[in-house]
Amino acid sequence: MSALDTPRAARRGRRHRRRWREGGSSTARWDLEMLGWAVCAVGAGALGAHVAPVVFPVETAAGGAQGIIWSSMAVPVAVAFARSRPRGLLRFRAVDVAYGVVFGVLLRLVQGSVARIGVGAAPWPSTFSNDGGLPPSFAFEAVAGSIVTPTLEELLLRGVVLVSVFTILRRGVGSIAAGVAAVAISTVLFLAAHELAAPRDVSELVALTLLGIVAGSFVIGTGRIWPAVAVHVVFNASGFALVAVGTLLA
């Protein structure tokens, strides 16, 4: 190879590798079939939350329900990433943590503001306590609910569902319309999963809707899943923190 050929070869070696939002082989198998399995998983998790108290003894019903919900989310996520890994989706940036703190806290404040409408000062949330302290299971529930559950939910709904919808629609309607549809559909499924598992009040529904929109917008806007995970983690963790304070100060 001559010296004149070297720059041309280097340019070929550095050719642009398309991110998942641009299409390409990394999302080719995140198709309608994969989306269907993900939607079925959302329904299975919601159904499992209702079946668990009947199937499991009283003392293990809550853990059984949690196990069913986690499994229903983890399986389609594992299948999707075994098929392929959307390029750039799992890339992490330090700023993702900042996004999570700012928007997670803001969403919790919005929920508190909505809860106060018409009733003045809303009471602090709390949990059952015999002696004024937190129940022994609270620490495990807080860790599971603040880290494991939101991570799985985001990987399924803002990962598999959102990316699949975007991939299916992008060529037909364009990236902007596909992005809007992907955020909307993933948010509707997110709301449906929570409402089917347990009825929510108005403030919770508003907060969950905004959480879905914010998380989905981050994934579409940055191409990364971790800003959405961070927002969800901070939002859930702040909820458990409020419950702890409300219980200890009651």
Side-chain angles (χ1 to χ4, degrees):
M1 181 183 295
S2 69
L4 293 176
D5 292 329
T6 301
R8 185 180 300 174
R11 285 196 298 271
R12 285 200 300 267
R14 294 195 302 268
R15 65 183 179 181
H16 175 64
R17 301 181 68 188
R18 290 190 292 177
R19 302 298 181 188
W20 67 267
R21 292 173 296 176
E22 301 171 294
S25 60
S26 70
T27 55
R29 300 191 65 192
W30 288 46
D31 51 15
L32 189 60
E33 178 191 358
M34 193 65 250
L35 176 61
W37 283 115
V39 173
C40 288
V42 172
L47 180 62
H50 292 283
V51 171
V54 179
V55 176
F56 295 97
V58 174
E59 59 272 15
T60 60
Q66 190 66 80
I68 292 173
I69 293 172
W70 283 354
S71 298
S72 69
M73 291 188 289
V75 169
V77 168
V79 170
F81 282 98
R83 287 186 169 195
S84 64
R85 183 177 298 178
R87 191 168 290 120
L89 182 66
L90 298 181
R91 181 167 293 183
F92 174 77
R93 294 285 183 267
V95 71
D96 297 342
V97 176
Y99 289 147
V101 172
V102 172
F103 284 88
V105 171
L106 281 176
L107 288 170
R108 184 60 67 185
L109 291 174
V110 169
Q111 181 183 355
S113 298
V114 174
R116 287 195 295 270
I117 295 176
V119 297
W124 282 76
S126 61
T127 187
F128 175 78
S129 174
N130 285 322
D131 56 2
L134 295 171
S137 62
F138 183 80
F140 172 79
E141 292 172 358
V143 172
S146 297
I147 298 176
V148 181
T149 298
T151 300
L152 286 174
E153 286 183 349
E154 292 306 315
L155 287 172
L156 176 62
L157 292 164
R158 253 68 67 175
V160 180
V161 170
L162 184 146
V163 173
S164 295
V165 172
F166 183 88
T167 300
I168 293 166
L169 297 179
R170 184 183 65 85
R171 285 192 175 183
V173 302
S175 295
I176 295 177
V180 172
V183 171
I185 291 172
S186 63
T187 300
V188 169
L189 283 175
F190 181 60
L191 280 173
H194 284 80
E195 184 66 17
L196 289 172
R200 310 283 166 162
D201 62 30
V202 173
S203 67
E204 289 175 315
L205 290 175
V206 170
L208 289 173
T209 300
L210 293 176
L211 174 58
I213 293 171
V214 169
S217 298
F218 268 125
V219 175
I220 291 294
T222 67
R224 303 190 303 275
I225 191 69
W226 299 116
V229 173
V231 172
H232 201 157
V233 165
V234 172
F235 177 78
N236 281 19
S238 62
F240 281 104
L242 290 174
V243 169
V245 172
T247 302
L248 295 174
L249 297 181

